[in-house]
Amino acid sequence: MNIFKLVNVIDKKMTPFAVEPNLCTRIISPKGSCNSCVDYCPTNSISFMKNKIEMNDQCVECGLCTTVCPTSAISLQRPSLNQLVTDIIQKCVQNERVYLHCKRKPISDSEISSISVPCLGMIPREVWVSISRMCDNLAVYHPDESCRHCEVSQGEEVWKKELDAGEAMSGKTFLITAGIQKSKQQPQYDHKRRSFFTTLFSEIKSTNKIAVREALGGSEIQSYREKLQEDPLSKVKKEWSAVSNRIVEKVTNESAFPYMNKRSLILKEIQKSVSLQNRYDYRLPTILPDCNFCGACTTLCPTNALLFEEKDGCTAITLQPHKCVDCHLCEDICFFQNILIQDQPNIQLLSNKIVLAEKPCPLSQ
């Protein structure tokens, strides 16, 4: 890796968030109605500037924007959600009791095993579901009225909404406590020292992930304009991007696409749980019979969940459910209002492909 790429890796690693404007529905289309990140930012630090998402110096790094953004145009990279789940489960396996808490309400006792996050509101429902099976000994440390006077004004609203949804999906209730109870077991090691090495390992892993991406190149999210380009050079770039993304996923054991961070977690849980499969927690698009196959929805879909397919004179619009994140951009931009986002059983997310609309094939000559 040359010095310029190394500097770029360090620069990206210094920021807690990864920003991908090509996933933002507001930037993709003026008809995009999502404004969640701006609405929930406690310091009004987020704005849209031409083709960019700007985050100013007033940002307190609470992470609420990453929870409420449907497409993960803004996502956490320190730690990633996958790493957070791994760390929580690992601590729960190793300790009698583990406390999850906001960093603004620290736990100073070194004999208490705890995990600190910037704000409890940065934990989406997919994480709560993912840790529910393995973490019966996890408690949420939340002193009375601790959120009321916090600068992250909407943090309590977001974390309780996500916690409630996660508990409903998993059928598990997490203990919320204002007190700390010491373990009855004699501590076998220094929790602070173990936490230091766990954090160090996580930092090295996340840095390596950025370094692999930077070394390979070509793994950036394409804009809809780039998707439409069909010249030879564009085709080569698309092919290399696909190859580099597969390498990144193989090396890091995480998806190369930010919007799959939350989705990958819940897909694993749906595969394991019949009760979760039968719930209606997610929405997917349906297309009415009057569709005129203009292709706008498939072109502008930020996650490539919707595809326009032509083969042997036949035309179809298909859906890859696992990629659909309910950003409802397709519903917003459909000129003829032929797309509806509707509740679907969770098991639908496990389908490889669903045909939403088909144009009758011309009769063979």
Side-chain angles (χ1 to χ4, degrees), residues 90-99 107-115 181-199:
Q90 196 171 57
K91 283 208 171 186
C92 287
V93 169
Q94 295 170 343
N95 299 277
E96 181 182 355
R97 171 68 71 184
V98 178
Y99 292 92
I107 298 175
S108 57
D109 193 331
S110 62
E111 294 185 3
I112 302 298
S113 178
S114 63
I115 293 176
Q181 181 179 353
K182 286 192 175 183
S183 172
K184 297 177 182 178
Q185 297 177 347
Q186 190 70 22
Q188 301 293 315
Y189 41 74
D190 188 330
H191 286 291
K192 285 189 175 181
R193 187 164 182 253
R194 180 177 285 268
S195 295
F196 169 77
F197 285 110
T198 300
T199 302

Side-chain angles (χ1 to χ4, degrees), residues 57-302:
D57 293 338
Q58 292 180 328
C59 174
V60 292
E61 301 180 2
C62 63
L64 293 189
C65 55
T66 68
T67 297
V68 300
C69 178
T71 62
S72 295
I74 305 174
S75 61
L76 278 170
Q77 63 178 11
R78 203 173 67 232
S80 68
L81 293 181
N82 187 64
Q83 190 60 50
L84 177 62
V85 168
T86 300
D87 290 346
I88 293 174
I89 292 177
Q90 196 171 57
K91 283 208 171 186
C92 287
V93 169
Q94 295 170 343
N95 299 277
E96 181 182 355
R97 171 68 71 184
V98 178
Y99 292 92
L100 179 63
H101 65 97
C102 171
K103 71 176 183 180
R104 292 171 175 79
K105 295 296 176 181
I107 298 175
S108 57
D109 193 331
S110 62
E111 294 185 3
I112 302 298
S113 178
S114 63
I115 293 176
S116 170
V117 293
C119 172
L120 292 172
M122 57 76 67
I123 305 176
R125 61 195 65 187
E126 289 83 358
V127 169
W128 293 112
V129 176
S130 296
I131 63 178
S132 62
R133 290 183 301 105
M134 301 287 290
C135 297
D136 289 333
N137 56 338
L138 178 72
V140 180
Y141 175 58
H142 187 251
D144 295 336
E145 300 187 357
S146 58
C147 288
R148 182 165 298 180
H149 306 294
C150 179
E151 60 183 330
V152 186
S153 55
Q154 298 187 77
E156 185 172 29
E157 175 191 342
V158 175
W159 88 260
K160 287 191 173 179
K161 177 182 177 182
E162 295 299 309
L163 175 62
D164 288 347
E167 289 182 333
M169 293 167 70
S170 66
K172 160 73 182 293
T173 300
F174 289 91
L175 173 66
I176 301 175
T177 179
I180 299 294
Q181 181 179 353
K182 286 192 175 183
S183 172
K184 297 177 182 178
Q185 297 177 347
Q186 190 70 22
Q188 301 293 315
Y189 41 74
D190 188 330
H191 286 291
K192 285 189 175 181
R193 187 164 182 253
R194 180 177 285 268
S195 295
F196 169 77
F197 285 110
T198 300
T199 302
L200 180 62
F201 176 77
S202 299
E203 288 292 306
I204 292 172
K205 183 178 179 181
S206 59
T207 302
N208 286 343
K209 183 176 181 179
I210 298 173
V212 170
R213 286 179 180 274
E214 199 65 31
L216 290 173
S219 59
E220 298 297 325
I221 304 295
Q222 291 181 323
S223 68
Y224 75 90
R225 296 181 184 86
E226 291 172 324
K227 293 177 187 177
L228 292 174
Q229 293 176 356
E230 293 296 335
D231 58 277
L233 180 59
S234 296
K235 289 182 179 180
V236 170
K237 287 182 178 179
K238 291 175 183 177
E239 290 174 358
W240 173 242
S241 179
V243 171
S244 61
N245 284 333
R246 285 196 292 271
I247 295 174
V248 168
E249 292 174 348
K250 188 72 173 177
V251 172
T252 65
N253 199 30
E254 291 184 16
S255 175
F257 302 104
Y259 53 81
M260 287 303 296
N261 289 337
K262 298 176 189 177
R263 184 50 53 86
S264 296
L265 291 174
I266 200 62
L267 286 175
K268 292 178 183 177
E269 299 307 314
I270 291 175
Q271 289 173 337
K272 299 172 186 174
S273 171
V274 175
S275 61
L276 191 53
Q277 291 172 8
N278 294 328
R279 286 181 56 85
Y280 285 68
D281 296 301
Y282 294 93
R283 304 195 309 163
L284 295 173
T286 57
I287 297 181
L288 301 179
D290 293 334
C291 174
N292 68 352
F293 294 87
C294 68
C297 58
T298 61
T299 300
L300 297 180
C301 179

